[in-house]
Structures are given as structure tokens and as C-alpha cells.
Amino acid sequence: MDDRWDGLRAEVHEAVDDLVTSGREAGVQVAAYLHGVPVVEEQAGLADTGTGRPMTADTPVHAVSTGKGLTATVVHVLAERGRLDYDLPLARVWPEFARHGKDGITLRHVLTHTAGLPALPADVTPEDFTDWSRMCGLLADAEPLWAPGERLAYHAWTWGWLLGEVVRRVTGRSVSQVLAEEVAGPLGVDRELFLAVPASELPRLARLEDAGLSALMTWAGANLPHFDAVAPPAVRPDTVTGSRPDVLRADVPSVGTMSARAVARMYAALLGPVDGVRLVSPDRLRAMSAPAVRVHEWVFGQETTFGLGYAVDDDGSFGTAGSGGSLAFAYPELGLTVAAVRNRLGAGDGDPMERLRVLVRDRVAAELGRG
């Protein structure tokens, strides 16, 4: 790695080491790429506190909604190759989906969480999540809560099946297969970047621990009037759901499992070439990362900005973050990508992964004279 960034690496190393030695974290990974080259790859602690297995750079960690960035990337790679168009009505390739007036819902509506289909049946179970046909059938039969484009509502779970079924209908392959073959494989991270995790890889995953996430989900269910509609009690995005081998093995493409360095590498290949691999053109990068909707969001009640499949932040970045503390973001103007994951999923703890992201961003911006 470029020795110009030795100071940054030392600062990140100290920060993650302090998080672990203080007992706040079990295991942490942080990675960053600058102009297609790795500049940070730091990890500390344990992947499994029960066995003492260390957290290594290639340990995959279930990172909840940070996985949405993987699915969005698959869509954009297919669009780059002329297989998909953002204004494609889902019903054109998925005829059953047209029921109940859903024929006007497009890929763009789904990517921006404005499709009007954020809710799941209250009795849906993790076992249902492992049945692709059942989940897609539920969505084909669903009645939209409002007209497409009328309102922004975070499609916490439904987003993945809506996009994934379009990918399957168009390519004949699962979204996990497309990710492995067209994104992770070419980038050399096919054992670190997953939607559905192969059974053979499950023993390598970090073991999740709860450090307040379940309590936050309980609070959200009691205090946010629409939360249980999008994340019913049996399938809340927590350490219980995220630790089930059957769910991890299934295609549930609103969530994902990854190492920090693998997802940082993926985002770097969206910005430009990484060892000769570039996933999208500069024009597509601008289109997919630009703010598409910025309005009051229905589930969490906050003003939210989305591009095409990614959150867009005021600092010029786009990416995704997951419940309990994981994130992966790209800064097109800096040529920078940053990812951080942990296996002790917390809430109300000051968001240490976000602080690590800000640390890397600010140090790189200052060095490049853009701070």
C-alpha cells in the first residue's frame, strides 16, 4: 500500500483496536479504496467470541441492509450491458405482477423506494423467506398502498424480491448468481461478497451478537406506526434472523454478507477501474448516484434522499448502511470508497462505524486538499 497513507492506517488501527479492547466491539473490519487502490485494510477482535476465532480481513459478516448496495450494483451492471432499463415496467417481464393495477410500477420506482409496496403480511415467517416463489407470489398478489412515485417508503424487505425477480426473469439466473459471476468473481472477492451464502462458506462467517439492536427493533415496533408493516415481528432485521443458516443460504436480496474490503472494492469498481475491472461507465455512475428523491419518508418519519438503489448523503457520497452498524459508501469526487462492518450489532452507542467512515473521509479529503 502507498506509504503516504501510513498515518491514516495507524489512526484507523488504533481506533478499531480501542473499540475491541474496551469491550465495546467483538470484531471490526474497516477498508477503503482510493482511485481503485486499497489504502486501508484494518481489522481487530474476534469473529466468534465463543471459539476465539479471530476476525480476519476475509471473514464475511452479515451486514443487513448494507447488502442492498450489492443488489443495486447487480441492477446497474445489467443496465450497463443493455439487459435492463430503469423505466422498465416490472410487469413486462413478470406478467403476474400486473395484478391490482401494478402495471405502472417500474424498476426506477423500486430502486427509489417509491413503488408503493413496502409492506409484508403480518404473519410472514423466516421460513417464508427461504421460499423464493412464495415471496414473489405474495408481491405479485399485493395491492399497492398508493400510486407509484406518490410517496417514499423504505421497502425494507420487499425491495430485494422485487428487484431480484426482475433480474431472474431477464437473465434466467438468481440475483446471487449474477452477483457472483458478474461482480464478485471478476473482482476476485467471490468468497467475501454474498447475497445467498453457499452452505460451504457458512462456517467462515462471523458470529453475530446482540448489543441493543433487538431492543431498538422492539422500540421501533411500539413507537413507529408503520414499522411492523415493513418488518413484521417474526422477521425483524436483527441477530436472530441474520444468524439463521437457512435464511443466510437463501436469496433475500435486501440484506447481504460481506467483508469490508470486498464491498469497498465493489464500490471502487463503480467509480473507476480496479485491476482492470470497471463495472459501469462514468455516465451511468453519475445517473445512479445522483439524488432522485428527497422527501419525508413513511416508515421512519425523516427527510430522506435516495438515488437509484443507494442512499445519497449531503457529503456527496452514495451507498448503504445496515441496522446494528455496517456501511459501505463511495465518494465520486474524491475517488474514495469506505466500508466498515462489525459482528456485535448495537444501537444507541454513538455509531462507531459511522465515526470510522468520517475519520477516513476527512483525512483523505484533507490530504487531497478538499477538506
Side-chain angles (χ1 to χ4, degrees), residues 169-208:
R169 298 272 177 147
V170 168
T171 68
R173 294 174 290 165
S174 71
V175 66
S176 288
Q177 287 177 290
V178 179
L179 176 76
E181 294 168 6
E182 317 244 0
V183 178
L187 288 169
V189 291
D190 50 309
R191 297 193 68 208
E192 300 177 38
L193 197 67
F194 303 112
L195 290 168
V197 181
S200 60
E201 302 292 345
L202 290 175
R204 298 179 51 240
L205 268 56
R207 188 172 68 85
L208 301 182

PDB file of all heavy atoms in Angstrom, residues 169-208:
ATOM      1  N   ARG A 169     -36.011 -13.020 -14.109  1.00  0.00           N
ATOM      2  CA  ARG A 169     -36.812 -13.139 -15.336  1.00  0.00           C
ATOM      3  C   ARG A 169     -35.993 -12.735 -16.569  1.00  0.00           C
ATOM      4  O   ARG A 169     -36.154 -13.310 -17.634  1.00  0.00           O
ATOM      5  CB  ARG A 169     -38.054 -12.266 -15.226  1.00  0.00           C
ATOM      6  CG  ARG A 169     -39.005 -12.640 -14.089  1.00  0.00           C
ATOM      7  CD  ARG A 169     -40.004 -13.666 -14.516  1.00  0.00           C
ATOM      8  NE  ARG A 169     -40.863 -14.082 -13.405  1.00  0.00           N
ATOM      9  CZ  ARG A 169     -42.132 -14.426 -13.545  1.00  0.00           C
ATOM     10  NH1 ARG A 169     -42.699 -14.405 -14.743  1.00  0.00           N
ATOM     11  NH2 ARG A 169     -42.843 -14.821 -12.492  1.00  0.00           N
ATOM     12  N   VAL A 170     -35.132 -11.756 -16.406  1.00  0.00           N
ATOM     13  CA  VAL A 170     -34.379 -11.241 -17.554  1.00  0.00           C
ATOM     14  C   VAL A 170     -33.160 -12.111 -17.873  1.00  0.00           C
ATOM     15  O   VAL A 170     -32.833 -12.327 -19.043  1.00  0.00           O
ATOM     16  CB  VAL A 170     -33.952  -9.773 -17.293  1.00  0.00           C
ATOM     17  CG1 VAL A 170     -32.932  -9.303 -18.311  1.00  0.00           C
ATOM     18  CG2 VAL A 170     -35.179  -8.873 -17.319  1.00  0.00           C
ATOM     19  N   THR A 171     -32.491 -12.615 -16.846  1.00  0.00           N
ATOM     20  CA  THR A 171     -31.238 -13.344 -17.063  1.00  0.00           C
ATOM     21  C   THR A 171     -31.380 -14.857 -16.976  1.00  0.00           C
ATOM     22  O   THR A 171     -30.480 -15.581 -17.439  1.00  0.00           O
ATOM     23  CB  THR A 171     -30.173 -12.919 -16.039  1.00  0.00           C
ATOM     24  OG1 THR A 171     -30.567 -13.373 -14.730  1.00  0.00           O
ATOM     25  CG2 THR A 171     -29.982 -11.414 -16.030  1.00  0.00           C
ATOM     26  N   GLY A 172     -32.456 -15.337 -16.327  1.00  0.00           N
ATOM     27  CA  GLY A 172     -32.568 -16.763 -16.080  1.00  0.00           C
ATOM     28  C   GLY A 172     -31.706 -17.243 -14.927  1.00  0.00           C
ATOM     29  O   GLY A 172     -31.584 -18.445 -14.685  1.00  0.00           O
ATOM     30  N   ARG A 173     -31.111 -16.308 -14.183  1.00  0.00           N
ATOM     31  CA  ARG A 173     -30.249 -16.641 -13.051  1.00  0.00           C
ATOM     32  C   ARG A 173     -30.719 -15.896 -11.809  1.00  0.00           C
ATOM     33  O   ARG A 173     -31.308 -14.825 -11.903  1.00  0.00           O
ATOM     34  CB  ARG A 173     -28.798 -16.246 -13.339  1.00  0.00           C
ATOM     35  CG  ARG A 173     -28.131 -17.027 -14.470  1.00  0.00           C
ATOM     36  CD  ARG A 173     -26.749 -16.472 -14.773  1.00  0.00           C
ATOM     37  NE  ARG A 173     -26.820 -15.156 -15.412  1.00  0.00           N
ATOM     38  CZ  ARG A 173     -25.799 -14.322 -15.520  1.00  0.00           C
ATOM     39  NH1 ARG A 173     -24.623 -14.635 -14.983  1.00  0.00           N
ATOM     40  NH2 ARG A 173     -25.945 -13.178 -16.134  1.00  0.00           N
ATOM     41  N   SER A 174     -30.429 -16.458 -10.650  1.00  0.00           N
ATOM     42  CA  SER A 174     -30.740 -15.749  -9.413  1.00  0.00           C
ATOM     43  C   SER A 174     -29.848 -14.524  -9.288  1.00  0.00           C
ATOM     44  O   SER A 174     -28.767 -14.452  -9.881  1.00  0.00           O
ATOM     45  CB  SER A 174     -30.535 -16.659  -8.205  1.00  0.00           C
ATOM     46  OG  SER A 174     -29.150 -16.890  -7.996  1.00  0.00           O
ATOM     47  N   VAL A 175     -30.302 -13.563  -8.496  1.00  0.00           N
ATOM     48  CA  VAL A 175     -29.503 -12.358  -8.291  1.00  0.00           C
ATOM     49  C   VAL A 175     -28.177 -12.710  -7.624  1.00  0.00           C
ATOM     50  O   VAL A 175     -27.143 -12.088  -7.893  1.00  0.00           O
ATOM     51  CB  VAL A 175     -30.314 -11.310  -7.494  1.00  0.00           C
ATOM     52  CG1 VAL A 175     -30.616 -11.765  -6.084  1.00  0.00           C
ATOM     53  CG2 VAL A 175     -29.616  -9.964  -7.479  1.00  0.00           C
ATOM     54  N   SER A 176     -28.161 -13.742  -6.771  1.00  0.00           N
ATOM     55  CA  SER A 176     -26.909 -14.187  -6.154  1.00  0.00           C
ATOM     56  C   SER A 176     -25.931 -14.705  -7.191  1.00  0.00           C
ATOM     57  O   SER A 176     -24.717 -14.447  -7.111  1.00  0.00           O
ATOM     58  CB  SER A 176     -27.174 -15.292  -5.131  1.00  0.00           C
ATOM     59  OG  SER A 176     -27.793 -14.772  -3.990  1.00  0.00           O
ATOM     60  N   GLN A 177     -26.451 -15.461  -8.172  1.00  0.00           N
ATOM     61  CA  GLN A 177     -25.580 -15.966  -9.235  1.00  0.00           C
ATOM     62  C   GLN A 177     -25.000 -14.824 -10.066  1.00  0.00           C
ATOM     63  O   GLN A 177     -23.815 -14.835 -10.411  1.00  0.00           O
ATOM     64  CB  GLN A 177     -26.359 -16.913 -10.140  1.00  0.00           C
ATOM     65  CG  GLN A 177     -26.680 -18.260  -9.527  1.00  0.00           C
ATOM     66  CD  GLN A 177     -27.522 -19.091 -10.484  1.00  0.00           C
ATOM     67  OE1 GLN A 177     -28.690 -18.803 -10.738  1.00  0.00           O
ATOM     68  NE2 GLN A 177     -26.920 -20.137 -11.024  1.00  0.00           N
ATOM     69  N   VAL A 178     -25.837 -13.855 -10.394  1.00  0.00           N
ATOM     70  CA  VAL A 178     -25.345 -12.734 -11.192  1.00  0.00           C
ATOM     71  C   VAL A 178     -24.287 -11.961 -10.415  1.00  0.00           C
ATOM     72  O   VAL A 178     -23.250 -11.568 -10.973  1.00  0.00           O
ATOM     73  CB  VAL A 178     -26.506 -11.817 -11.622  1.00  0.00           C
ATOM     74  CG1 VAL A 178     -25.972 -10.640 -12.442  1.00  0.00           C
ATOM     75  CG2 VAL A 178     -27.535 -12.595 -12.441  1.00  0.00           C
ATOM     76  N   LEU A 179     -24.526 -11.736  -9.119  1.00  0.00           N
ATOM     77  CA  LEU A 179     -23.521 -11.056  -8.302  1.00  0.00           C
ATOM     78  C   LEU A 179     -22.201 -11.821  -8.339  1.00  0.00           C
ATOM     79  O   LEU A 179     -21.126 -11.230  -8.549  1.00  0.00           O
ATOM     80  CB  LEU A 179     -24.004 -10.923  -6.858  1.00  0.00           C
ATOM     81  CG  LEU A 179     -22.983 -10.297  -5.895  1.00  0.00           C
ATOM     82  CD1 LEU A 179     -22.897  -8.798  -6.089  1.00  0.00           C
ATOM     83  CD2 LEU A 179     -23.329 -10.626  -4.441  1.00  0.00           C
ATOM     84  N   ALA A 180     -22.265 -13.133  -8.137  1.00  0.00           N
ATOM     85  CA  ALA A 180     -21.049 -13.941  -8.085  1.00  0.00           C
ATOM     86  C   ALA A 180     -20.316 -13.941  -9.425  1.00  0.00           C
ATOM     87  O   ALA A 180     -19.080 -13.834  -9.468  1.00  0.00           O
ATOM     88  CB  ALA A 180     -21.390 -15.370  -7.669  1.00  0.00           C
ATOM     89  N   GLU A 181     -21.075 -14.056 -10.515  1.00  0.00           N
ATOM     90  CA  GLU A 181     -20.460 -14.251 -11.821  1.00  0.00           C
ATOM     91  C   GLU A 181     -20.051 -12.949 -12.503  1.00  0.00           C
ATOM     92  O   GLU A 181     -19.083 -12.934 -13.269  1.00  0.00           O
ATOM     93  CB  GLU A 181     -21.428 -15.025 -12.721  1.00  0.00           C
ATOM     94  CG  GLU A 181     -21.664 -16.457 -12.228  1.00  0.00           C
ATOM     95  CD  GLU A 181     -22.833 -17.144 -12.919  1.00  0.00           C
ATOM     96  OE1 GLU A 181     -23.404 -16.559 -13.863  1.00  0.00           O
ATOM     97  OE2 GLU A 181     -23.192 -18.259 -12.490  1.00  0.00           O
ATOM     98  N   GLU A 182     -20.772 -11.860 -12.223  1.00  0.00           N
ATOM     99  CA  GLU A 182     -20.534 -10.629 -12.982  1.00  0.00           C
ATOM    100  C   GLU A 182     -19.929  -9.506 -12.150  1.00  0.00           C
ATOM    101  O   GLU A 182     -19.493  -8.499 -12.696  1.00  0.00           O
ATOM    102  CB  GLU A 182     -21.848 -10.154 -13.612  1.00  0.00           C
ATOM    103  CG  GLU A 182     -22.668 -11.268 -14.215  1.00  0.00           C
ATOM    104  CD  GLU A 182     -22.845 -11.140 -15.722  1.00  0.00           C
ATOM    105  OE1 GLU A 182     -22.332 -10.186 -16.300  1.00  0.00           O
ATOM    106  OE2 GLU A 182     -23.496 -12.032 -16.274  1.00  0.00           O
ATOM    107  N   VAL A 183     -19.911  -9.685 -10.820  1.00  0.00           N
ATOM    108  CA  VAL A 183     -19.362  -8.642  -9.953  1.00  0.00           C
ATOM    109  C   VAL A 183     -18.253  -9.216  -9.060  1.00  0.00           C
ATOM    110  O   VAL A 183     -17.082  -8.875  -9.200  1.00  0.00           O
ATOM    111  CB  VAL A 183     -20.469  -7.984  -9.095  1.00  0.00           C
ATOM    112  CG1 VAL A 183     -19.864  -6.932  -8.161  1.00  0.00           C
ATOM    113  CG2 VAL A 183     -21.546  -7.359  -9.983  1.00  0.00           C
ATOM    114  N   ALA A 184     -18.626 -10.114  -8.160  1.00  0.00           N
ATOM    115  CA  ALA A 184     -17.661 -10.615  -7.184  1.00  0.00           C
ATOM    116  C   ALA A 184     -16.548 -11.419  -7.844  1.00  0.00           C
ATOM    117  O   ALA A 184     -15.368 -11.268  -7.496  1.00  0.00           O
ATOM    118  CB  ALA A 184     -18.381 -11.465  -6.133  1.00  0.00           C
ATOM    119  N   GLY A 185     -16.901 -12.280  -8.798  1.00  0.00           N
ATOM    120  CA  GLY A 185     -15.898 -13.105  -9.457  1.00  0.00           C
ATOM    121  C   GLY A 185     -14.840 -12.291 -10.180  1.00  0.00           C
ATOM    122  O   GLY A 185     -13.633 -12.458  -9.927  1.00  0.00           O
ATOM    123  N   PRO A 186     -15.234 -11.400 -11.088  1.00  0.00           N
ATOM    124  CA  PRO A 186     -14.232 -10.584 -11.782  1.00  0.00           C
ATOM    125  C   PRO A 186     -13.363  -9.754 -10.844  1.00  0.00           C
ATOM    126  O   PRO A 186     -12.207  -9.457 -11.164  1.00  0.00           O
ATOM    127  CB  PRO A 186     -15.083  -9.695 -12.693  1.00  0.00           C
ATOM    128  CG  PRO A 186     -16.331 -10.488 -12.934  1.00  0.00           C
ATOM    129  CD  PRO A 186     -16.577 -11.218 -11.657  1.00  0.00           C
ATOM    130  N   LEU A 187     -13.911  -9.372  -9.685  1.00  0.00           N
ATOM    131  CA  LEU A 187     -13.154  -8.561  -8.736  1.00  0.00           C
ATOM    132  C   LEU A 187     -12.332  -9.408  -7.763  1.00  0.00           C
ATOM    133  O   LEU A 187     -11.630  -8.861  -6.904  1.00  0.00           O
ATOM    134  CB  LEU A 187     -14.105  -7.645  -7.947  1.00  0.00           C
ATOM    135  CG  LEU A 187     -14.692  -6.479  -8.741  1.00  0.00           C
ATOM    136  CD1 LEU A 187     -15.804  -5.801  -7.955  1.00  0.00           C
ATOM    137  CD2 LEU A 187     -13.609  -5.473  -9.112  1.00  0.00           C
ATOM    138  N   GLY A 188     -12.442 -10.737  -7.871  1.00  0.00           N
ATOM    139  CA  GLY A 188     -11.651 -11.615  -7.020  1.00  0.00           C
ATOM    140  C   GLY A 188     -12.120 -11.692  -5.581  1.00  0.00           C
ATOM    141  O   GLY A 188     -11.328 -12.030  -4.695  1.00  0.00           O
ATOM    142  N   VAL A 189     -13.412 -11.397  -5.332  1.00  0.00           N
ATOM    143  CA  VAL A 189     -13.929 -11.421  -3.958  1.00  0.00           C
ATOM    144  C   VAL A 189     -15.145 -12.341  -3.854  1.00  0.00           C
ATOM    145  O   VAL A 189     -16.047 -12.120  -3.045  1.00  0.00           O
ATOM    146  CB  VAL A 189     -14.274  -9.997  -3.449  1.00  0.00           C
ATOM    147  CG1 VAL A 189     -13.011  -9.185  -3.263  1.00  0.00           C
ATOM    148  CG2 VAL A 189     -15.248  -9.287  -4.394  1.00  0.00           C
ATOM    149  N   ASP A 190     -15.154 -13.405  -4.658  1.00  0.00           N
ATOM    150  CA  ASP A 190     -16.314 -14.285  -4.692  1.00  0.00           C
ATOM    151  C   ASP A 190     -16.489 -15.093  -3.412  1.00  0.00           C
ATOM    152  O   ASP A 190     -17.551 -15.688  -3.201  1.00  0.00           O
ATOM    153  CB  ASP A 190     -16.244 -15.226  -5.902  1.00  0.00           C
ATOM    154  CG  ASP A 190     -14.907 -15.928  -6.010  1.00  0.00           C
ATOM    155  OD1 ASP A 190     -13.867 -15.262  -5.962  1.00  0.00           O
ATOM    156  OD2 ASP A 190     -14.910 -17.167  -6.141  1.00  0.00           O
ATOM    157  N   ARG A 191     -15.498 -15.120  -2.532  1.00  0.00           N
ATOM    158  CA  ARG A 191     -15.659 -15.785  -1.222  1.00  0.00           C
ATOM    159  C   ARG A 191     -15.876 -14.776  -0.093  1.00  0.00           C
ATOM    160  O   ARG A 191     -15.838 -15.149   1.079  1.00  0.00           O
ATOM    161  CB  ARG A 191     -14.444 -16.663  -0.913  1.00  0.00           C
ATOM    162  CG  ARG A 191     -14.241 -17.822  -1.893  1.00  0.00           C
ATOM    163  CD  ARG A 191     -13.243 -18.807  -1.351  1.00  0.00           C
ATOM    164  NE  ARG A 191     -13.769 -19.515  -0.174  1.00  0.00           N
ATOM    165  CZ  ARG A 191     -12.999 -20.005   0.795  1.00  0.00           C
ATOM    166  NH1 ARG A 191     -11.684 -19.820   0.764  1.00  0.00           N
ATOM    167  NH2 ARG A 191     -13.543 -20.657   1.820  1.00  0.00           N
ATOM    168  N   GLU A 192     -16.110 -13.510  -0.464  1.00  0.00           N
ATOM    169  CA  GLU A 192     -16.277 -12.478   0.565  1.00  0.00           C
ATOM    170  C   GLU A 192     -17.473 -11.574   0.317  1.00  0.00           C
ATOM    171  O   GLU A 192     -17.719 -10.661   1.120  1.00  0.00           O
ATOM    172  CB  GLU A 192     -15.009 -11.610   0.648  1.00  0.00           C
ATOM    173  CG  GLU A 192     -13.755 -12.373   1.002  1.00  0.00           C
ATOM    174  CD  GLU A 192     -12.514 -11.485   1.007  1.00  0.00           C
ATOM    175  OE1 GLU A 192     -12.617 -10.322   1.446  1.00  0.00           O
ATOM    176  OE2 GLU A 192     -11.450 -11.953   0.551  1.00  0.00           O
ATOM    177  N   LEU A 193     -18.202 -11.782  -0.766  1.00  0.00           N
ATOM    178  CA  LEU A 193     -19.283 -10.874  -1.131  1.00  0.00           C
ATOM    179  C   LEU A 193     -20.482 -11.715  -1.559  1.00  0.00           C
ATOM    180  O   LEU A 193     -20.462 -12.322  -2.630  1.00  0.00           O
ATOM    181  CB  LEU A 193     -18.823  -9.970  -2.277  1.00  0.00           C
ATOM    182  CG  LEU A 193     -19.610  -8.701  -2.566  1.00  0.00           C
ATOM    183  CD1 LEU A 193     -19.475  -7.698  -1.427  1.00  0.00           C
ATOM    184  CD2 LEU A 193     -19.144  -8.065  -3.869  1.00  0.00           C
ATOM    185  N   PHE A 194     -21.515 -11.763  -0.698  1.00  0.00           N
ATOM    186  CA  PHE A 194     -22.618 -12.687  -0.922  1.00  0.00           C
ATOM    187  C   PHE A 194     -23.979 -12.033  -0.728  1.00  0.00           C
ATOM    188  O   PHE A 194     -24.154 -11.171   0.138  1.00  0.00           O
ATOM    189  CB  PHE A 194     -22.558 -13.855   0.085  1.00  0.00           C
ATOM    190  CG  PHE A 194     -21.291 -14.637   0.087  1.00  0.00           C
ATOM    191  CD1 PHE A 194     -20.439 -14.577   1.180  1.00  0.00           C
ATOM    192  CD2 PHE A 194     -20.945 -15.458  -0.978  1.00  0.00           C
ATOM    193  CE1 PHE A 194     -19.269 -15.322   1.215  1.00  0.00           C
ATOM    194  CE2 PHE A 194     -19.771 -16.204  -0.957  1.00  0.00           C
ATOM    195  CZ  PHE A 194     -18.923 -16.137   0.138  1.00  0.00           C
ATOM    196  N   LEU A 195     -24.940 -12.497  -1.509  1.00  0.00           N
ATOM    197  CA  LEU A 195     -26.347 -12.355  -1.158  1.00  0.00           C
ATOM    198  C   LEU A 195     -26.742 -13.675  -0.493  1.00  0.00           C
ATOM    199  O   LEU A 195     -26.676 -13.791   0.715  1.00  0.00           O
ATOM    200  CB  LEU A 195     -27.172 -11.989  -2.387  1.00  0.00           C
ATOM    201  CG  LEU A 195     -26.883 -10.544  -2.882  1.00  0.00           C
ATOM    202  CD1 LEU A 195     -27.462 -10.286  -4.254  1.00  0.00           C
ATOM    203  CD2 LEU A 195     -27.411  -9.508  -1.866  1.00  0.00           C
ATOM    204  N   ALA A 196     -27.075 -14.709  -1.267  1.00  0.00           N
ATOM    205  CA  ALA A 196     -27.207 -16.039  -0.669  1.00  0.00           C
ATOM    206  C   ALA A 196     -25.810 -16.594  -0.410  1.00  0.00           C
ATOM    207  O   ALA A 196     -24.964 -16.594  -1.292  1.00  0.00           O
ATOM    208  CB  ALA A 196     -27.988 -16.954  -1.608  1.00  0.00           C
ATOM    209  N   VAL A 197     -25.583 -17.073   0.799  1.00  0.00           N
ATOM    210  CA  VAL A 197     -24.265 -17.605   1.174  1.00  0.00           C
ATOM    211  C   VAL A 197     -24.231 -19.104   0.877  1.00  0.00           C
ATOM    212  O   VAL A 197     -25.082 -19.846   1.368  1.00  0.00           O
ATOM    213  CB  VAL A 197     -23.972 -17.356   2.667  1.00  0.00           C
ATOM    214  CG1 VAL A 197     -22.579 -17.886   3.032  1.00  0.00           C
ATOM    215  CG2 VAL A 197     -24.088 -15.878   3.015  1.00  0.00           C
ATOM    216  N   PRO A 198     -23.275 -19.580   0.095  1.00  0.00           N
ATOM    217  CA  PRO A 198     -23.170 -21.024  -0.130  1.00  0.00           C
ATOM    218  C   PRO A 198     -22.991 -21.768   1.196  1.00  0.00           C
ATOM    219  O   PRO A 198     -22.307 -21.275   2.106  1.00  0.00           O
ATOM    220  CB  PRO A 198     -21.926 -21.161  -1.012  1.00  0.00           C
ATOM    221  CG  PRO A 198     -21.764 -19.814  -1.663  1.00  0.00           C
ATOM    222  CD  PRO A 198     -22.254 -18.819  -0.649  1.00  0.00           C
ATOM    223  N   ALA A 199     -23.591 -22.946   1.303  1.00  0.00           N
ATOM    224  CA  ALA A 199     -23.521 -23.710   2.549  1.00  0.00           C
ATOM    225  C   ALA A 199     -22.076 -23.955   2.965  1.00  0.00           C
ATOM    226  O   ALA A 199     -21.752 -23.936   4.164  1.00  0.00           O
ATOM    227  CB  ALA A 199     -24.264 -25.035   2.390  1.00  0.00           C
ATOM    228  N   SER A 200     -21.196 -24.160   1.993  1.00  0.00           N
ATOM    229  CA  SER A 200     -19.795 -24.450   2.303  1.00  0.00           C
ATOM    230  C   SER A 200     -19.072 -23.275   2.954  1.00  0.00           C
ATOM    231  O   SER A 200     -18.031 -23.460   3.599  1.00  0.00           O
ATOM    232  CB  SER A 200     -19.046 -24.856   1.025  1.00  0.00           C
ATOM    233  OG  SER A 200     -19.085 -23.796   0.071  1.00  0.00           O
ATOM    234  N   GLU A 201     -19.617 -22.058   2.783  1.00  0.00           N
ATOM    235  CA  GLU A 201     -18.979 -20.861   3.325  1.00  0.00           C
ATOM    236  C   GLU A 201     -19.515 -20.464   4.698  1.00  0.00           C
ATOM    237  O   GLU A 201     -18.937 -19.600   5.360  1.00  0.00           O
ATOM    238  CB  GLU A 201     -19.145 -19.682   2.354  1.00  0.00           C
ATOM    239  CG  GLU A 201     -18.572 -19.934   0.960  1.00  0.00           C
ATOM    240  CD  GLU A 201     -17.053 -20.026   0.952  1.00  0.00           C
ATOM    241  OE1 GLU A 201     -16.412 -19.630   1.934  1.00  0.00           O
ATOM    242  OE2 GLU A 201     -16.508 -20.506  -0.061  1.00  0.00           O
ATOM    243  N   LEU A 202     -20.621 -21.072   5.135  1.00  0.00           N
ATOM    244  CA  LEU A 202     -21.235 -20.657   6.401  1.00  0.00           C
ATOM    245  C   LEU A 202     -20.277 -20.742   7.592  1.00  0.00           C
ATOM    246  O   LEU A 202     -20.289 -19.846   8.451  1.00  0.00           O
ATOM    247  CB  LEU A 202     -22.495 -21.485   6.679  1.00  0.00           C
ATOM    248  CG  LEU A 202     -23.698 -21.208   5.781  1.00  0.00           C
ATOM    249  CD1 LEU A 202     -24.818 -22.189   6.101  1.00  0.00           C
ATOM    250  CD2 LEU A 202     -24.193 -19.771   5.940  1.00  0.00           C
ATOM    251  N   PRO A 203     -19.426 -21.773   7.694  1.00  0.00           N
ATOM    252  CA  PRO A 203     -18.523 -21.827   8.857  1.00  0.00           C
ATOM    253  C   PRO A 203     -17.539 -20.669   8.934  1.00  0.00           C
ATOM    254  O   PRO A 203     -16.983 -20.403  10.007  1.00  0.00           O
ATOM    255  CB  PRO A 203     -17.794 -23.167   8.672  1.00  0.00           C
ATOM    256  CG  PRO A 203     -18.707 -23.991   7.819  1.00  0.00           C
ATOM    257  CD  PRO A 203     -19.343 -23.002   6.891  1.00  0.00           C
ATOM    258  N   ARG A 204     -17.301 -19.971   7.835  1.00  0.00           N
ATOM    259  CA  ARG A 204     -16.349 -18.864   7.821  1.00  0.00           C
ATOM    260  C   ARG A 204     -16.964 -17.563   8.327  1.00  0.00           C
ATOM    261  O   ARG A 204     -16.236 -16.600   8.603  1.00  0.00           O
ATOM    262  CB  ARG A 204     -15.825 -18.623   6.405  1.00  0.00           C
ATOM    263  CG  ARG A 204     -15.057 -19.797   5.809  1.00  0.00           C
ATOM    264  CD  ARG A 204     -14.573 -19.497   4.393  1.00  0.00           C
ATOM    265  NE  ARG A 204     -13.872 -18.223   4.337  1.00  0.00           N
ATOM    266  CZ  ARG A 204     -14.250 -17.191   3.576  1.00  0.00           C
ATOM    267  NH1 ARG A 204     -15.317 -17.279   2.791  1.00  0.00           N
ATOM    268  NH2 ARG A 204     -13.558 -16.084   3.581  1.00  0.00           N
ATOM    269  N   LEU A 205     -18.298 -17.491   8.416  1.00  0.00           N
ATOM    270  CA  LEU A 205     -18.956 -16.230   8.767  1.00  0.00           C
ATOM    271  C   LEU A 205     -18.660 -15.844  10.215  1.00  0.00           C
ATOM    272  O   LEU A 205     -18.483 -16.701  11.090  1.00  0.00           O
ATOM    273  CB  LEU A 205     -20.468 -16.352   8.584  1.00  0.00           C
ATOM    274  CG  LEU A 205     -21.031 -15.946   7.219  1.00  0.00           C
ATOM    275  CD1 LEU A 205     -20.379 -16.711   6.084  1.00  0.00           C
ATOM    276  CD2 LEU A 205     -22.550 -16.143   7.199  1.00  0.00           C
ATOM    277  N   ALA A 206     -18.627 -14.543  10.446  1.00  0.00           N
ATOM    278  CA  ALA A 206     -18.555 -14.056  11.823  1.00  0.00           C
ATOM    279  C   ALA A 206     -19.863 -14.398  12.544  1.00  0.00           C
ATOM    280  O   ALA A 206     -20.935 -14.406  11.933  1.00  0.00           O
ATOM    281  CB  ALA A 206     -18.329 -12.548  11.831  1.00  0.00           C
ATOM    282  N   ARG A 207     -19.768 -14.689  13.823  1.00  0.00           N
ATOM    283  CA  ARG A 207     -20.965 -14.971  14.617  1.00  0.00           C
ATOM    284  C   ARG A 207     -21.510 -13.665  15.179  1.00  0.00           C
ATOM    285  O   ARG A 207     -20.793 -12.918  15.848  1.00  0.00           O
ATOM    286  CB  ARG A 207     -20.649 -15.939  15.761  1.00  0.00           C
ATOM    287  CG  ARG A 207     -21.899 -16.412  16.513  1.00  0.00           C
ATOM    288  CD  ARG A 207     -21.545 -17.522  17.497  1.00  0.00           C
ATOM    289  NE  ARG A 207     -20.733 -17.027  18.582  1.00  0.00           N
ATOM    290  CZ  ARG A 207     -21.220 -16.465  19.696  1.00  0.00           C
ATOM    291  NH1 ARG A 207     -22.523 -16.291  19.857  1.00  0.00           N
ATOM    292  NH2 ARG A 207     -20.408 -16.057  20.650  1.00  0.00           N
ATOM    293  N   LEU A 208     -22.771 -13.404  14.896  1.00  0.00           N
ATOM    294  CA  LEU A 208     -23.395 -12.157  15.325  1.00  0.00           C
ATOM    295  C   LEU A 208     -23.737 -12.198  16.803  1.00  0.00           C
ATOM    296  O   LEU A 208     -24.143 -13.234  17.341  1.00  0.00           O
ATOM    297  CB  LEU A 208     -24.659 -11.878  14.516  1.00  0.00           C
ATOM    298  CG  LEU A 208     -24.507 -11.758  12.996  1.00  0.00           C
ATOM    299  CD1 LEU A 208     -25.851 -11.435  12.361  1.00  0.00           C
ATOM    300  CD2 LEU A 208     -23.474 -10.702  12.625  1.00  0.00           C
TER     301      LEU A 208
END
